[in-house]
Amino acid sequence: MNKSIGIVGAGIGGLHLALYLQQHGIQATVLTDRTPEQYASARLMNTVAHHSVTIARENELGVNHWDDAATIYHHHDHFFNFPGNGLLFRGAFKKPSRAVDYRMYLPALMKDFEHRGGSIEYASIQDDDIPALVSRFDLLVVSTGKGALGRMFAHRPELSPYSQPQRLLCVGIYDGVDHGSPNGDDPRGVTLSVSPGHGEMIVIPTLSFNGMKTALLMENIPGGDMADLVSLNYDADPAAFRQTILDKLEKHHPHTYNRIDTHRFGLAQPLDLLQGAVVPTVRQSSVAVDGEKFAVALGDVHSVVDPLMGQGANIASYAAFELGKAIVETVAFDARFVEEVDRARENRVFAAARWTNLMLRPPSEAMGRLILTMAQDRELCDEFTDNFNYPERQWDRVATDKRIHAWIDRRAPLAA
């Protein structure tokens, strides 16, 4: 069966799928409205970390261009800014994670795909273009939710509990933050910092332009003291922006503030800032078009999650590989094909969405017990941390209070 696949979008999901199909001799055409040069010169798109399972897929595709000990990190530090008694503890990964600025990452993979003979078409897709796209390919994969393409896939309210953003985001890449060394007594790690009632901040060592920088992903609760950062205007007064950020960090995230060289601190580049909000949403995984062909959702079109737990890019890559395997193996792009794709990828994709949505809520008594127990039981915290690679395992453990208590109680004899 000759298979012609159209992939709309050049994010990680679309590119990993295109590269996977290319490896397996299947013709794929990527359609995107931005060239590699436009991606490279764009405003900050995200602050994505790739966990070891995703890095392994990059190795499989031959696109791991950042396999350097200087770029990786090994653990999560958890800091809770409780009044008068901050709580700090660490959990380690079995294998390290890494963050690369997507303005570097995506252009590199686009060029890999083209250099290996792949086709990328650069154009903005309008509503009127959809029928022709559907008829042109045996299967259309939609991995960007812009315009009518995203609206093709119906919202699934039973998996999308929020109608409004739960956090207001202020995300930047900064100079002047100490994030540990690639080697030595204090290896690099991510900090997950919590200011109760005000929000969270994820501090990520990130390879960006001109070397290693630090991403500060501030997840601010609406109505909290940090919420106004979503609209703080950098361009109007860079010095005032910088000082406001420092003041907020000193008050709400002192563990990170104490690692800042205030004389050097600031955005690495003026475009290294992203502000906004996300409504976590799961959509229908596919849609039949004209009764004969299917369009399949991938990445954020299928499930967009708040970045709090760092799952979006990792589940998009995972889903791309599962979709790629199904495309390679199938004899027909029909309803049965869609069922097989759903079965292969939904457990991890939906678990990531459910776990992230849970962590956006105030902690239950059981979750509070888990946090305090992890602070005393390093192996439990290591397991929690490594489960960032496997959100379905994490969801198995935290989906209900009963499961959380059982997880802790099962660990108690081992800890003793």
Side-chain angles (χ1 to χ4, degrees):
M1 177 185 177
N2 293 324
K3 303 169 184 178
S4 175
I5 312 299
I7 303 170
V8 182
I12 183 173
L15 290 174
H16 276 203
L17 175 60
L19 288 158
Y20 182 93
L21 294 176
Q22 188 177 58
Q23 273 193 341
H24 291 80
I26 293 177
Q27 178 184 352
T29 300
V30 175
L31 303 105
T32 178
D33 59 356
R34 283 197 274 188
T35 66
E37 293 74 22
Q38 288 171 322
Y39 273 112
S41 62
R43 179 173 290 279
L44 181 68
M45 292 181 282
N46 53 44
T47 51
V48 167
H50 289 183
H51 301 306
S52 63
V53 288
T54 301
I55 295 172
R57 287 188 287 269
E58 293 167 351
N59 286 327
E60 184 176 338
L61 294 174
V63 296
N64 184 2
H65 305 298
W66 305 276
D67 189 18
D68 187 334
T71 66
I72 60 177
Y73 64 88
H74 302 268
H75 61 262
H76 284 173
D77 283 331
H78 304 80
F79 176 76
F80 290 81
N81 189 27
F82 297 133
N85 188 24
L87 182 65
L88 176 65
F89 55 94
R90 176 171 291 183
F93 292 103
K94 292 180 180 178
K95 296 181 180 179
S97 299
R98 183 201 61 218
V100 177
D101 191 325
Y102 263 35
R103 294 169 296 181
M104 299 164 55
Y105 183 86
L106 297 181
L109 269 63
M110 293 168 77
K111 292 175 182 176
D112 287 333
F113 180 64
E114 288 189 302
H115 289 163
R116 299 172 188 178
S119 174
I120 302 181
E121 297 180 6
Y122 300 96
S124 178
I125 297 172
Q126 307 301 321
D127 294 12
D128 294 344
D129 299 325
I130 295 176
L133 283 177
V134 171
S135 63
R136 176 181 169 187
F137 299 104
D138 298 318
L139 180 71
L140 186 67
V141 178
V142 182
S143 65
T144 182
K146 297 177 182 177
L149 282 165
R151 294 194 297 271
M152 291 170 64
F153 303 94
H155 173 251
R156 294 189 61 177
E158 76 279 13
L159 295 170
S160 309
Y162 302 121
S163 59
Q164 300 292 329
Q166 299 303 293
R167 297 293 187 271
L168 302 176
L169 307 179
C170 182
V171 189
I173 293 181
Y174 292 86
D175 281 317
V177 185
D178 179 17
H179 42 57
S181 60
N183 301 297
D185 296 333
D186 186 22
R188 281 191 180 130
V190 157
T191 296
L192 307 175
S193 179
V194 179
S195 179
H198 302 283
E200 304 82 16
M201 183 173 69
I202 301 91
V203 185
I204 311 169
T206 299
L207 180 65
S208 186
F209 303 103
N210 301 315
M212 291 301 296
K213 308 293 180 181
T214 303
L216 299 181
L217 167 55
M218 301 177 200
E219 295 249 344
N220 306 314
I221 295 174
D225 185 54
M226 299 209 27
D228 57 348
L229 296 182
V230 71
S231 57
L232 185 63
N233 192 324
Y234 173 83
D235 294 330
D237 192 339
F241 177 93
R242 172 184 173 279
Q243 190 58 51
T244 301
I245 295 291
L246 284 171
D247 291 344
K248 297 288 189 181
L249 294 180
E250 184 177 20
K251 179 178 179 181
H252 293 284
H253 301 288
H255 174 68
T256 298
Y257 177 82
N258 290 337
R259 294 153 51 197
I260 290 176
D261 179 346
T262 57
H263 298 290
R264 293 180 50 235
F265 179 76
L267 289 176
Q269 298 183 112
L271 291 178
D272 286 353
L273 178 67
L274 176 65
Q275 294 161 296
V278 173
V279 180
T281 304
V282 176
R283 296 184 182 88
Q284 184 179 344
S285 64
S286 63
V287 60
V289 184
D290 296 333
E292 296 182 359
K293 291 191 175 183
F294 282 85
V296 174
L298 178 64
D300 283 353
V301 177
H302 187 205
S303 177
V304 59
V305 294
D306 187 280
L308 179 63
M309 294 289 102
Q311 291 298 308
N314 293 279
I315 61 173
S317 171
Y318 169 82
F321 265 58
E322 294 302 318
L323 177 56
K325 293 173 188 175
I327 290 171
V328 170
E329 295 169 1
T330 195
V331 297
F333 295 114
D334 54 10
R336 177 60 176 162
F337 165 79
V338 171
E339 289 177 358
E340 292 169 344
V341 170
D342 287 347
R343 184 171 60 249
R345 63 183 182 166
E346 281 185 350
N347 187 30
R348 180 167 294 187
V349 171
F350 290 173
R354 288 164 166 153
W355 172 40
T356 302
N357 289 338
L358 173 68
M359 301 304 285
L360 291 168
R361 303 172 197 149
S364 66
E365 181 274 331
M367 184 60 71
R369 182 188 175 208
L370 177 61
I371 292 168
L372 293 175
T373 306
M374 286 195 296
Q376 303 171 51
D377 183 346
R378 175 62 185 266
E379 289 189 9
L380 177 63
C381 192
D382 287 349
E383 184 179 354
F384 180 89
T385 301
D386 203 62
N387 282 348
F388 276 69
N389 284 284
Y390 309 102
E392 69 277 15
R393 297 181 189 175
Q394 198 81 300
W395 187 239
D396 285 345
R397 288 156 176 76
V398 303
T400 62
D401 284 356
K402 182 178 290 188
R403 285 175 177 265
I404 296 174
H405 286 305
W407 186 20
I408 298 170
D409 292 341
R410 186 170 68 247
R411 284 284 316 154
L414 299 176

PDB file of all heavy atoms in Angstrom, residues 9 36 71 74 82 84 142 150 159 192 211 239 247 275 322 327 332 346 384:
ATOM      1  N   GLY A   9       1.703  21.447  10.408  1.00  0.00           N
ATOM      2  CA  GLY A   9       2.375  21.906  11.614  1.00  0.00           C
ATOM      3  C   GLY A   9       3.773  21.348  11.738  1.00  0.00           C
ATOM      4  O   GLY A   9       4.005  20.161  11.487  1.00  0.00           O
ATOM      5  N   PRO A  36      12.397  27.799   8.712  1.00  0.00           N
ATOM      6  CA  PRO A  36      13.343  27.675   9.824  1.00  0.00           C
ATOM      7  C   PRO A  36      13.887  29.020  10.282  1.00  0.00           C
ATOM      8  O   PRO A  36      14.054  29.252  11.491  1.00  0.00           O
ATOM      9  CB  PRO A  36      14.451  26.793   9.231  1.00  0.00           C
ATOM     10  CG  PRO A  36      13.763  25.969   8.201  1.00  0.00           C
ATOM     11  CD  PRO A  36      12.721  26.870   7.609  1.00  0.00           C
ATOM     12  N   THR A  71      24.619  20.168  28.721  1.00  0.00           N
ATOM     13  CA  THR A  71      23.252  20.644  28.499  1.00  0.00           C
ATOM     14  C   THR A  71      22.217  19.936  29.359  1.00  0.00           C
ATOM     15  O   THR A  71      21.069  20.380  29.411  1.00  0.00           O
ATOM     16  CB  THR A  71      22.851  20.466  27.023  1.00  0.00           C
ATOM     17  OG1 THR A  71      22.782  19.064  26.717  1.00  0.00           O
ATOM     18  CG2 THR A  71      23.843  21.148  26.093  1.00  0.00           C
ATOM     19  N   HIS A  74      19.744  16.623  36.077  1.00  0.00           N
ATOM     20  CA  HIS A  74      19.643  15.297  36.676  1.00  0.00           C
ATOM     21  C   HIS A  74      18.549  15.151  37.732  1.00  0.00           C
ATOM     22  O   HIS A  74      18.269  14.029  38.148  1.00  0.00           O
ATOM     23  CB  HIS A  74      20.986  14.944  37.344  1.00  0.00           C
ATOM     24  CG  HIS A  74      22.149  14.983  36.400  1.00  0.00           C
ATOM     25  ND1 HIS A  74      22.583  13.879  35.715  1.00  0.00           N
ATOM     26  CD2 HIS A  74      22.952  16.015  36.023  1.00  0.00           C
ATOM     27  CE1 HIS A  74      23.615  14.209  34.953  1.00  0.00           C
ATOM     28  NE2 HIS A  74      23.864  15.498  35.127  1.00  0.00           N
ATOM     29  N   PHE A  82       6.597  27.944  52.575  1.00  0.00           N
ATOM     30  CA  PHE A  82       5.704  28.053  53.720  1.00  0.00           C
ATOM     31  C   PHE A  82       6.196  29.172  54.641  1.00  0.00           C
ATOM     32  O   PHE A  82       7.411  29.309  54.872  1.00  0.00           O
ATOM     33  CB  PHE A  82       5.660  26.736  54.488  1.00  0.00           C
ATOM     34  CG  PHE A  82       5.103  25.587  53.697  1.00  0.00           C
ATOM     35  CD1 PHE A  82       5.752  24.357  53.686  1.00  0.00           C
ATOM     36  CD2 PHE A  82       3.938  25.720  52.959  1.00  0.00           C
ATOM     37  CE1 PHE A  82       5.258  23.291  52.961  1.00  0.00           C
ATOM     38  CE2 PHE A  82       3.421  24.657  52.230  1.00  0.00           C
ATOM     39  CZ  PHE A  82       4.082  23.442  52.229  1.00  0.00           C
ATOM     40  N   GLY A  84       7.799  31.235  57.233  1.00  0.00           N
ATOM     41  CA  GLY A  84       8.701  30.982  58.346  1.00  0.00           C
ATOM     42  C   GLY A  84       9.342  29.605  58.363  1.00  0.00           C
ATOM     43  O   GLY A  84      10.145  29.305  59.248  1.00  0.00           O
ATOM     44  N   VAL A 142      -3.177  16.652  11.746  1.00  0.00           N
ATOM     45  CA  VAL A 142      -3.237  18.065  12.113  1.00  0.00           C
ATOM     46  C   VAL A 142      -2.571  18.231  13.469  1.00  0.00           C
ATOM     47  O   VAL A 142      -3.072  17.761  14.486  1.00  0.00           O
ATOM     48  CB  VAL A 142      -4.684  18.577  12.146  1.00  0.00           C
ATOM     49  CG1 VAL A 142      -4.721  20.064  12.481  1.00  0.00           C
ATOM     50  CG2 VAL A 142      -5.373  18.318  10.799  1.00  0.00           C
ATOM     51  N   GLY A 150      -7.974  23.476  13.568  1.00  0.00           N
ATOM     52  CA  GLY A 150      -8.174  23.103  14.958  1.00  0.00           C
ATOM     53  C   GLY A 150      -9.639  22.904  15.301  1.00  0.00           C
ATOM     54  O   GLY A 150      -9.993  22.037  16.106  1.00  0.00           O
ATOM     55  N   LEU A 159     -13.199  15.350  29.577  1.00  0.00           N
ATOM     56  CA  LEU A 159     -11.762  15.314  29.830  1.00  0.00           C
ATOM     57  C   LEU A 159     -11.166  16.708  29.966  1.00  0.00           C
ATOM     58  O   LEU A 159      -9.951  16.851  30.106  1.00  0.00           O
ATOM     59  CB  LEU A 159     -11.045  14.573  28.695  1.00  0.00           C
ATOM     60  CG  LEU A 159     -11.381  13.087  28.550  1.00  0.00           C
ATOM     61  CD1 LEU A 159     -10.805  12.530  27.257  1.00  0.00           C
ATOM     62  CD2 LEU A 159     -10.864  12.298  29.743  1.00  0.00           C
ATOM     63  N   LEU A 192      11.269  23.184  41.199  1.00  0.00           N
ATOM     64  CA  LEU A 192       9.824  23.371  41.203  1.00  0.00           C
ATOM     65  C   LEU A 192       9.486  24.120  42.486  1.00  0.00           C
ATOM     66  O   LEU A 192       9.480  23.544  43.576  1.00  0.00           O
ATOM     67  CB  LEU A 192       9.112  22.018  41.156  1.00  0.00           C
ATOM     68  CG  LEU A 192       9.532  21.065  40.030  1.00  0.00           C
ATOM     69  CD1 LEU A 192       8.832  19.712  40.178  1.00  0.00           C
ATOM     70  CD2 LEU A 192       9.216  21.667  38.681  1.00  0.00           C
ATOM     71  N   GLY A 211      24.568  29.935  24.401  1.00  0.00           N
ATOM     72  CA  GLY A 211      24.924  29.038  25.488  1.00  0.00           C
ATOM     73  C   GLY A 211      23.827  28.770  26.494  1.00  0.00           C
ATOM     74  O   GLY A 211      22.649  29.023  26.260  1.00  0.00           O
ATOM     75  N   ALA A 239      13.914  48.284  32.741  1.00  0.00           N
ATOM     76  CA  ALA A 239      14.474  48.328  34.099  1.00  0.00           C
ATOM     77  C   ALA A 239      13.389  48.078  35.142  1.00  0.00           C
ATOM     78  O   ALA A 239      13.611  47.348  36.127  1.00  0.00           O
ATOM     79  CB  ALA A 239      15.147  49.677  34.341  1.00  0.00           C
ATOM     80  N   ASP A 247      11.705  41.658  42.729  1.00  0.00           N
ATOM     81  CA  ASP A 247      10.946  41.857  43.966  1.00  0.00           C
ATOM     82  C   ASP A 247       9.976  40.702  44.209  1.00  0.00           C
ATOM     83  O   ASP A 247       9.827  40.221  45.351  1.00  0.00           O
ATOM     84  CB  ASP A 247      10.182  43.177  43.904  1.00  0.00           C
ATOM     85  CG  ASP A 247      11.095  44.398  43.941  1.00  0.00           C
ATOM     86  OD1 ASP A 247      12.279  44.247  44.316  1.00  0.00           O
ATOM     87  OD2 ASP A 247      10.625  45.495  43.573  1.00  0.00           O
ATOM     88  N   GLN A 275       4.119  35.819  27.509  1.00  0.00           N
ATOM     89  CA  GLN A 275       3.093  36.038  28.529  1.00  0.00           C
ATOM     90  C   GLN A 275       1.743  35.613  27.956  1.00  0.00           C
ATOM     91  O   GLN A 275       1.458  35.833  26.779  1.00  0.00           O
ATOM     92  CB  GLN A 275       3.066  37.519  28.935  1.00  0.00           C
ATOM     93  CG  GLN A 275       4.330  37.983  29.651  1.00  0.00           C
ATOM     94  CD  GLN A 275       4.494  39.495  29.640  1.00  0.00           C
ATOM     95  OE1 GLN A 275       4.651  40.098  28.570  1.00  0.00           O
ATOM     96  NE2 GLN A 275       4.486  40.118  30.818  1.00  0.00           N
ATOM     97  N   GLU A 322       3.619   6.662  18.228  1.00  0.00           N
ATOM     98  CA  GLU A 322       2.551   5.669  18.201  1.00  0.00           C
ATOM     99  C   GLU A 322       1.724   5.795  16.925  1.00  0.00           C
ATOM    100  O   GLU A 322       1.341   4.793  16.314  1.00  0.00           O
ATOM    101  CB  GLU A 322       1.661   5.814  19.435  1.00  0.00           C
ATOM    102  CG  GLU A 322       2.359   5.485  20.746  1.00  0.00           C
ATOM    103  CD  GLU A 322       2.928   4.075  20.769  1.00  0.00           C
ATOM    104  OE1 GLU A 322       2.248   3.145  20.293  1.00  0.00           O
ATOM    105  OE2 GLU A 322       4.065   3.898  21.268  1.00  0.00           O
ATOM    106  N   ILE A 327       0.618   3.978  11.240  1.00  0.00           N
ATOM    107  CA  ILE A 327       0.617   4.285   9.812  1.00  0.00           C
ATOM    108  C   ILE A 327       1.455   3.266   9.049  1.00  0.00           C
ATOM    109  O   ILE A 327       1.069   2.782   7.976  1.00  0.00           O
ATOM    110  CB  ILE A 327       1.145   5.715   9.576  1.00  0.00           C
ATOM    111  CG1 ILE A 327       0.131   6.749  10.089  1.00  0.00           C
ATOM    112  CG2 ILE A 327       1.441   5.963   8.095  1.00  0.00           C
ATOM    113  CD1 ILE A 327       0.649   8.173  10.091  1.00  0.00           C
ATOM    114  N   ALA A 332      -5.223   0.050   5.842  1.00  0.00           N
ATOM    115  CA  ALA A 332      -6.296   0.967   5.425  1.00  0.00           C
ATOM    116  C   ALA A 332      -6.444   2.065   6.460  1.00  0.00           C
ATOM    117  O   ALA A 332      -6.357   1.815   7.671  1.00  0.00           O
ATOM    118  CB  ALA A 332      -7.617   0.215   5.268  1.00  0.00           C
ATOM    119  N   GLU A 346      -3.764   6.829  23.988  1.00  0.00           N
ATOM    120  CA  GLU A 346      -4.632   7.567  24.908  1.00  0.00           C
ATOM    121  C   GLU A 346      -4.230   7.403  26.366  1.00  0.00           C
ATOM    122  O   GLU A 346      -4.383   8.342  27.150  1.00  0.00           O
ATOM    123  CB  GLU A 346      -6.093   7.153  24.721  1.00  0.00           C
ATOM    124  CG  GLU A 346      -6.740   7.823  23.521  1.00  0.00           C
ATOM    125  CD  GLU A 346      -8.223   7.516  23.407  1.00  0.00           C
ATOM    126  OE1 GLU A 346      -8.696   6.622  24.153  1.00  0.00           O
ATOM    127  OE2 GLU A 346      -8.893   8.153  22.584  1.00  0.00           O
ATOM    128  N   PHE A 384       8.587   9.555  42.166  1.00  0.00           N
ATOM    129  CA  PHE A 384       7.706  10.631  41.700  1.00  0.00           C
ATOM    130  C   PHE A 384       8.367  11.416  40.570  1.00  0.00           C
ATOM    131  O   PHE A 384       7.733  11.737  39.558  1.00  0.00           O
ATOM    132  CB  PHE A 384       7.373  11.554  42.879  1.00  0.00           C
ATOM    133  CG  PHE A 384       6.466  12.701  42.530  1.00  0.00           C
ATOM    134  CD1 PHE A 384       5.092  12.561  42.612  1.00  0.00           C
ATOM    135  CD2 PHE A 384       6.988  13.934  42.136  1.00  0.00           C
ATOM    136  CE1 PHE A 384       4.246  13.622  42.294  1.00  0.00           C
ATOM    137  CE2 PHE A 384       6.147  14.998  41.820  1.00  0.00           C
ATOM    138  CZ  PHE A 384       4.776  14.836  41.903  1.00  0.00           C
TER     139      PHE A 384
END
